[in-house]
Amino acid sequence: MAQASIGDSEFDRDTAISPRASQPGVYDADLSAGWTIFGAVNGGYLLALLGRALGDALPHPDPFTVSAHYLTPSVAGPAVVRTQTVRSGRTLSTGQASLFQYAEDGTEVERIRVLASYGDLDALTDDVRTTAKPPAMPPYEHCLGTEAGPTAILSSSAITERLNIRLDPATVGWAVGEPSGNGEMRGWFGLADGRDADPLSLLLTVDALPPTSFELGLQGWTPTVELTTHIRCRPAPGPLRVSIATRNLAGGFLEEDAEVWDSADRLVAQSRQLARAPRG
């Protein structure tokens, strides 16, 4: 398969938006069934689609911080995105966006609401002071692909066909009925068609690995309640490394802290989300 370029991949086609000429800041979209898990549209895919709409509506090009509240599960099919510019400054602009779909009775239902600040990643300084380090995990060829996962999960997750994920063997005990209990997930990440990462696709990356709840012995849909993502710099070409950890599951909810590192050993994205634990 030839490597898809940015703008010419399935990800770009499926996050495409069509502005309404008569309604500035309003966009039509079609949520693809190819990005679903357990019948619901993946939260990272939704975040990228809304991120694309905000990038078109705001005067600055790149997402810096995006906070999303997931109100109701999204389904494949038509959707409407409405954006609003909250503030436009010299280095940052802030906007909000909501995605709506129609229920069977014809009423409009809000699925997700986002507040985000955008800037120019290429204008940032080179000053980096950090104690963060890339995740320690085996080379790509020694990690496990999605074919190693349980059939029941793979058959209900169309999104796995669009991703190239190789998981650290230390975090896949759940796949053979022996979860570690550590609440950690690590792996190499890329899009299946070879498209290199950019700031927009990083909004997908932070929510694309199997949930840490699997390694806690809980399998099933882990719906996101809230997800905040920070994009730190433009990623270098090549595969990404993703590490996700949960330290606290209580009251039926868990947090997931994610870091995304590029091929140049730079921390390019961070996120935290609150999710419902699987009920099974």
Side-chain angles (χ1 to χ4, degrees):
M1 178 187 297
Q3 179 170 320
S5 60
I6 293 176
D8 188 36
S9 76
E10 187 172 21
F11 169 80
D12 296 301
R13 293 192 297 271
D14 289 347
T15 57
I17 52 171
S18 300
R20 292 185 178 178
S22 60
Q23 296 177 279
V26 180
Y27 303 85
D28 290 302
D30 189 33
L31 305 187
S32 170
W35 302 87
T36 56
I37 178 169
F38 296 109
V41 181
N42 171 262
Y45 163 77
L46 292 171
L47 201 62
L49 190 146
L50 269 75
R52 189 179 295 280
L54 282 166
D56 183 81
L58 295 173
H60 291 92
D62 302 315
F64 275 28
T65 177
V66 182
S67 295
H69 285 263
Y70 295 80
L71 308 177
T72 53
S74 298
V75 296
V80 177
V81 178
R82 295 191 176 94
T83 67
Q84 177 185 358
T85 300
V86 177
R87 179 184 180 275
S88 180
R90 185 175 61 85
T91 58
L92 287 176
S93 54
T94 300
Q96 62 181 17
S98 291
L99 184 143
F100 299 86
Q101 292 186 300
Y102 288 100
E104 292 183 0
D105 62 3
T107 58
E108 194 173 64
V109 180
E110 187 175 7
R111 302 298 195 191
I112 175 176
R113 184 177 297 190
V114 164
L115 183 67
S117 290
Y118 274 56
D120 183 356
L121 289 170
D122 294 329
L124 298 180
T125 71
D126 294 329
D127 185 20
V128 177
R129 312 179 197 192
T130 182
T131 59
K133 296 180 180 179
M137 61 186 194
Y140 176 91
E141 59 273 15
H142 294 157
C143 290
L144 303 177
T146 52
E147 69 278 0
T151 302
I153 292 178
L154 294 177
S155 63
S156 60
S157 304
I159 190 174
T160 59
E161 300 176 11
R162 280 140 195 91
L163 305 177
N164 183 10
I165 296 176
R166 308 286 295 187
L167 295 176
D168 183 341
T171 68
V172 295
W174 57 273
V176 293
E178 299 178 1
S180 68
N182 292 331
E184 296 178 353
M185 199 68 62
R186 291 183 299 275
W188 296 86
F189 176 87
L191 292 172
D193 60 13
R195 176 198 190 274
D196 279 322
D198 68 352
L200 196 66
S201 71
L202 291 176
L203 298 175
L204 164 70
T205 304
V206 297
D207 192 44
L209 264 62
T212 55
S213 56
F214 287 5
E215 273 296 89
L216 293 173
L218 300 172
Q219 291 194 14
W221 186 37
T222 309
T224 303
V225 176
E226 187 271 345
L227 172 60
T228 294
T229 303
H230 297 163
I231 306 300
R232 306 308 302 268
C233 64
R234 195 176 304 281
L240 301 168
R241 286 159 292 171
V242 185
S243 64
I244 309 176
T246 292
R247 296 195 304 162
N248 190 54
L249 187 159
F253 292 85
L254 57 92
E255 91 289 343
E256 287 192 339
D257 291 314
E259 292 184 350
V260 182
W261 295 78
D262 71 1
S263 59
D265 285 346
R266 298 178 305 166
L267 181 62
V268 295
Q270 299 166 279
S271 72
R272 164 166 281 201
Q273 71 168 282
L274 182 70
R276 286 187 180 272
R279 296 177 181 179

